[in-house]
Amino acid sequence: MLVLEIAAAIVGAFTVAGSGAVGVRLRRTSVELAEIGADNRRLIAVNAENERMAKSAREVAEAVETTSAAVDLGTTIVASSHKVIASIPFEILDAIPATRDTSRIVRGIHDGTADAVYRSIFGVNKAFRDALNKPPAGTD
């Protein structure tokens, strides 16, 4: 019986020691899980902020494209209207022999100047669109 009692005591001691070790390990695991949970919540917050920023960037890009397209369309309409309206007095002056030569010279200057102005508007609009759509330096 003594051997059984000694064996039971040894098993009991190992059980207590093992239970203590398991308890320590469970505590460490619990702390690690809490840290992982906190890290996970931070990552979720960072991801949500990244998604919000990406959405804002898409909205800005869409607004830039819409605005640029509107400027291009408006400029095209104005340039076409200008050309049609300006041609009326030039055609009248071209029909008069005494003003024909001067009218053609003035018309050439007028048309060249108008074309340069509208090309400049298109160019500035494109430059703004390209600058606003260009990713910030270092994000390539």
Side-chain angles (χ1 to χ4, degrees):
M1 210 32 147
L2 184 60
V3 172
L4 286 177
E5 289 175 3
I6 292 172
I10 291 171
V11 169
F14 279 119
T15 302
V16 169
S19 295
V22 168
V24 168
R25 186 64 199 142
L26 281 175
R27 176 68 186 138
R28 285 184 187 153
T29 301
S30 176
V31 169
E32 289 171 357
L33 283 174
E35 290 172 355
I36 290 170
D39 289 344
N40 191 42
R41 286 187 293 280
R42 279 190 293 276
L43 288 174
I44 289 170
V46 167
N47 187 51
E49 180 64 11
N50 286 344
E51 287 177 5
R52 188 189 68 74
M53 294 291 287
K55 181 182 178 203
S56 293
R58 284 190 303 274
E59 289 171 353
V60 167
E62 289 171 6
V64 166
E65 286 303 317
T66 300
T67 302
S68 180
V71 169
D72 279 348
L73 177 61
T75 303
T76 299
I77 291 169
V78 170
S80 297
S81 300
H82 182 172
K83 188 172 186 174
V84 168
I85 292 168
S87 71
I88 295 169
F90 286 121
E91 288 174 7
I92 292 170
L93 293 170
D94 286 347
I96 303 170
T99 60
R100 182 175 301 135
D101 292 338
T102 304
S103 172
R104 288 182 181 160
I105 292 169
V106 172
R107 185 178 201 166
I109 293 168
H110 169 271
D111 290 350
T113 302
D115 289 345
V117 167
Y118 293 118
R119 273 194 314 273
S120 295
I121 293 170
F122 284 118
V124 168
N125 186 44
K126 181 182 183 317
F128 277 124
R129 181 180 61 240
D130 292 348
L132 291 172
N133 284 331
K134 182 179 178 184
T139 59
D140 297 336

